[in-house]
Every structure is written in C-alpha cells, then in structure tokens.
Amino acid sequence: MDTATPAVTVALHDGTSVIASSGQVDARRHGELLLPAVDRVLAEAGTKLDAVTDVVVGVGPGPYTGLRVGLVTAATFGSALSVPVHGLCTLDGIAYAAGQEGLAGPFVVATDARRKEVYWARYEDARTRTGEPAVDRPVDIAAALAGLPVVGAGARLYPESFPDARGPEHVAAGALAALAAERLAAGQELLEPQPLYLRRPDAQVPKNYKVVTPK
C-alpha cells in the first residue's frame, strides 16, 4: 500500500504477479479510502487478510498527513497478523512502473511536495536510484536535470522546468509490490517502515507559545 502521493493505492501480490489492485487519486481522503481499498482488493482476489504473509508500504517522501495513514495502517496489519512490514521508497515504485511501461534510463522521478517544491531522485534505470531523495524548487534543479525525462506529477506541475514529462503520474501499489517481491526474492533487505519526510510538517507550534495551566 502507499499513501505518500495523492493516490491511495493497494495491491495484492502472490510472489509472482499482482493478483488484485486498487487505486484512487484524492489528496484529502487517504484515511477514508485506504481500508475500503484493502477490502476491495482482498474481495477481488477471493482471499482473506489472514492469508497475507508480508506487508509492503511506501515510506515516501511525501506530505506528513497522507504518508502516516499508510504507515500506521501497515504497522497495524503487521502487528495483528504477526507478519513482517517492509518499507520501500515511493519514488522507487514510480521508477519501477516507468520501466514496466518501457522507459529506459537515465531519468528522474519527481512528485508534488507542495510549497512550490518537488520530491525527486535520479535513476540510472528503473531499478537503480543513483542518490538519496531530495526536496527542492523545480527552478533550482532544472539546469542540473536538463535533457532527462522526468516521471511523475512533479513534471506535469512544472513543465517550464521539466519539459520532457513522462508517465506514470502517481505511484501504483502493484509496481511497489512487484519491486518488493523482486528484491526479497534476491535476498535484498528492504527499508524499515519509517516515514521519509525530508522536512518538518506544515503544522507547527507557534513561536512564543504560552502554556496556560489551570490553578
């Protein structure tokens, strides 16, 4: 599952292929949409939640509120089912999906970080990220990324900085699950299911905040 972008996306993978998936784009309803999506995917696959052996969740980068919905839900499922919970960079999932659609590297993945910024990372190919994810204003990185295709919603939001926009626009849990299954089968360790925020949340305690306690 992944809730790091406006897409609320869930998929079920049997170790070989995706057997059911669901995706809905709504940046304000992650908490409302995620669990029904899980139910829908399980029903489509004709299975029950207790058949799940591993949980994979996108760790971002992404906005604080949406991202934590998926992470908390994944942790809850892991605890309830006594199964491992694996983290995977959301940008890696988008890159992998781009490769499935035929895009060869090198290229960049950029998602909307709000505040007129993007979360982004550079890729040698669909499976190989060449640096850590970052958050920047598009105008500040446009020159360094000139000539590279840019995948994701960030490219479409800032076409003047990223003229060669490619799909997919948002992450899909099917691609995330397929990449995770591939790496696990190869004996690779995945990330801890901890949020990759890259910056502080928008909501903060005001400066000079005065605490008033009753007498």
Side-chain angles (χ1 to χ4, degrees):
M1 65 184 68
D2 194 294
T3 58
T5 74
V8 179
T9 177
V10 176
L12 191 64
H13 197 282
D14 65 3
T16 301
S17 61
V18 176
I19 56 176
S21 63
S22 172
Q24 186 170 347
V25 177
D26 192 326
R28 298 181 181 276
R29 299 173 63 211
H30 293 88
E32 180 181 345
L33 297 174
L34 182 57
L35 289 179
V38 171
D39 288 341
R40 191 161 53 248
V41 165
L42 290 171
E44 181 182 337
T47 191
K48 301 293 185 181
L49 185 61
D50 59 10
V52 172
T53 59
D54 295 78
V55 178
V56 176
V57 60
V59 300
Y64 178 81
T65 302
L67 179 55
R68 66 179 179 174
V69 170
L71 288 165
V72 170
T73 302
T76 302
F77 284 160
S79 178
L81 300 172
S82 297
V83 300
V85 180
H86 310 282
L88 201 61
C89 176
T90 298
L91 302 182
D92 289 359
I94 298 174
Y96 188 81
Q100 290 180 316
E101 293 183 5
L103 180 61
F107 60 87
V108 173
V109 174
T111 61
D112 182 18
R114 303 174 185 172
R115 304 184 192 174
K116 299 183 179 180
E117 294 178 331
V118 293
Y119 298 117
W120 68 280
R122 190 192 301 253
Y123 290 80
E124 185 62 31
D125 55 51
R127 294 175 173 82
T128 310
R129 179 161 34 88
T130 58
E132 293 301 314
V135 58
D136 289 287
R137 295 192 307 161
V139 67
D140 293 338
I141 58 176
L145 304 180
L148 293 175
V150 181
V151 178
R156 290 168 172 77
L157 286 171
Y158 303 101
E160 66 284 357
S161 295
F162 308 126
D164 189 3
R166 306 288 182 94
E169 185 172 354
H170 300 296
V171 67
L176 204 72
L179 178 58
E182 185 178 293
R183 290 180 175 176
L184 289 171
Q188 300 178 26
E189 290 189 9
L190 301 185
L191 300 175
E192 291 295 319
Q194 298 297 323
L196 185 61
Y197 290 131
L198 300 188
R199 67 185 183 204
R200 297 179 64 83
D202 291 332
Q204 299 182 31
V205 177
K207 293 181 179 179
N208 302 318
Y209 178 73
K210 184 177 180 180
V211 177
V212 178
T213 56
K215 294 182 179 181

